[in-house]
Amino acid sequence: MTTVVPTSEDDPALAVVRFTSELAWADAGPEVAEPQVTRLCMEAQQCIVMGRWLDLASLMLTSADLVFSKVSDKDLECIFTVICNLASKLENLDEFEVAKLVSTKITQQPNDKPALRLKILFNLYNLLGGPDSRFFVYMQALNLALNGKVVDHIIPSFKKIDFFLKEWNIGVKDQRNLFLTIANVLKESKSSGKDSFKFLTKYLATFSGEDSYITSEAKEEAVRSVIEFVKALDMFQCDLLDIPAVAQLEKDSKYALVYQLLKIFLTQKLDAYLEFQAANSTLMKSYGLVHEDCITKMRLISLVDLGLNESGQIPYALIKDTLRINDDEVELWVVKAITAKLMDCKMDQMNQVVIVSRCSEHIFGPHQWLSLRSKLATWRGNVASLISTIQANKVIEEGIPAGQGTTIR
């Protein structure tokens, strides 16, 4: 049975082939251009009739690439919309091949109209049905945004990453590639260091359970995560010590000191940092760490540690000695800690103590879980006791008739 496929010039694909080929051959003169345009149109027509959509996409892209700088952005968007729409005619493997072909061609020159190229990739993504195709195009868009320096256009999509991960159902290696690329995009954007650090930590966490050879691949990024945490003046809590990819640094001859620095910022006080800095000032400078900023961060960390260890009250004198500051600076640093939301407290100037009601933990390991369990048990006991008291009082009130207790017998 013969299938008849109409292929008039009204077909969007043929219209695009004619339009782009005429522009591509315009400088050659009509005698050379017309035969070439006719040949390309006939070849496109054959592809449509035979259902060779991948070949058609390749043909259309060859001409479209040549005219990228010759037509308006609106015309380019229309041209590539028609090309991208070819993917919707296909399924599974063929769709992936078209998506790969189109996205690879678009990303070849990231510095030429990068925002428009990114928009075309988004349009292609929305036309695709297969998760493999969608993930591939999204990764291409990430790299285009990074290389073309238009990262602000793709950052809003990061809010949906958890949803995308469920949709794509990708393996561990692809997750690593995704998380690390997003971390690099966010770092390039100069946005909050917390966002970049979050995805860098996600990347490192994917190496849990891997053998040492594979985990060693993440060594440079592990160092980067430590340095980013130490540098950030708005980050005071992290789980890096529990991540195997970071823990490997402890026994590494090159990076052991980096791991030691991380432990100081998460588990020790200002004195330990000053001792480390005095012995390793060159190392600190090589990583771009500013001593004054590190002191500021360590003072806040040390103050919070005092709040966690001093049974709810911290003498002004202890704060002064621990933070190595003057008497008149104590309250200033307490206010800084409150402003950073590291602790909730009141200052008793009469008795020269800080009364602490809450402090933020720098790490949340087994010890912190046990402490939380103990606090919850105490809270539960207090609530149960309160409920029992209320119920007992209610029974007494309901069980005594009006006027009883005032009659003498």
Side-chain angles (χ1 to χ4, degrees), residues 315-353:
Y316 276 30
L318 181 59
I319 296 175
K320 171 194 170 185
D321 293 341
T322 304
L323 274 58
R324 297 195 179 190
I325 54 178
N326 299 324
D327 290 328
D328 59 356
E329 294 179 292
V330 170
E331 293 185 356
L332 173 64
W333 281 97
V334 172
V335 171
K336 285 184 178 182
I338 295 172
T339 303
K341 298 181 179 180
L342 295 174
M343 62 194 307
D344 293 330
C345 60
K346 296 180 180 179
M347 289 177 279
D348 184 346
Q349 294 178 326
M350 182 70 68
N351 296 307
Q352 294 284 286
V353 295

Side-chain angles (χ1 to χ4, degrees), residues 129-356:
D132 291 345
S133 303
R134 284 191 152 202
F135 173 67
F136 182 86
V137 171
Y138 189 81
M139 288 303 303
Q140 291 286 83
L142 280 176
N143 288 308
L144 173 63
L146 190 59
N147 296 327
K149 301 188 184 304
V150 286
V151 294
D152 290 342
H153 290 72
I154 201 168
I155 287 176
S157 70
F158 296 165
K159 296 178 182 178
K160 299 181 179 180
I161 283 298
D162 290 337
F163 170 78
F164 291 156
L165 286 171
K166 292 179 181 178
E167 177 187 306
W168 297 331
N169 193 29
I170 55 178
V172 173
K173 289 185 178 181
D174 285 333
Q175 288 182 37
R176 287 173 187 162
N177 191 18
L178 173 68
F179 293 147
L180 184 57
T181 305
I182 291 177
N184 291 336
V185 167
L186 289 168
K187 185 178 181 181
E188 178 68 23
S189 73
K190 303 296 188 294
S191 61
S192 171
K194 287 183 178 179
D195 294 331
S196 175
F197 182 79
K198 170 187 171 184
F199 281 98
L200 186 58
T201 303
K202 283 178 174 286
Y203 163 78
L204 294 170
T206 64
F207 289 89
S208 298
E210 299 282 10
D211 60 44
S212 58
Y213 176 76
I214 295 176
T215 304
S216 65
E217 296 176 8
K219 198 172 289 185
E220 295 295 332
E221 281 68 37
V223 172
R224 170 184 160 186
S225 70
V226 173
I227 300 304
E228 285 191 9
F229 173 75
V230 172
K231 279 184 178 180
L233 296 178
D234 59 347
M235 282 196 291
F236 297 90
Q237 190 277 333
C238 75
D239 300 319
L240 290 180
L241 290 177
D242 298 326
I243 298 177
V246 177
Q248 68 176 325
L249 301 179
E250 184 175 18
K251 298 179 180 179
D252 187 271
S253 59
K254 183 177 179 181
Y255 298 123
L257 287 174
V258 173
Y259 186 82
Q260 184 181 341
L261 181 63
L262 175 65
K263 289 192 71 174
I264 289 173
F265 271 78
L266 288 176
T267 64
Q268 300 181 51
K269 293 185 177 70
L270 179 62
D271 284 348
Y273 165 74
L274 292 174
E275 183 180 343
F276 178 91
Q277 194 277 337
N280 301 283
S281 59
T282 302
L283 175 74
M284 300 281 289
K285 290 179 181 178
S286 69
Y287 285 112
L289 295 170
V290 179
H291 181 48
E292 291 74 15
D293 290 343
C294 290
I295 288 180
T296 297
K297 185 167 183 172
M298 280 305 303
R299 278 177 173 160
L300 290 171
I301 289 172
S302 300
L303 179 55
V304 172
D305 282 345
L306 290 177
L308 291 169
N309 299 323
E310 294 300 323
S311 302
Q313 292 192 1
I314 320 172
Y316 276 30
L318 181 59
I319 296 175
K320 171 194 170 185
D321 293 341
T322 304
L323 274 58
R324 297 195 179 190
I325 54 178
N326 299 324
D327 290 328
D328 59 356
E329 294 179 292
V330 170
E331 293 185 356
L332 173 64
W333 281 97
V334 172
V335 171
K336 285 184 178 182
I338 295 172
T339 303
K341 298 181 179 180
L342 295 174
M343 62 194 307
D344 293 330
C345 60
K346 296 180 180 179
M347 289 177 279
D348 184 346
Q349 294 178 326
M350 182 70 68
N351 296 307
Q352 294 284 286
V353 295
V354 175
I355 303 171
V356 180

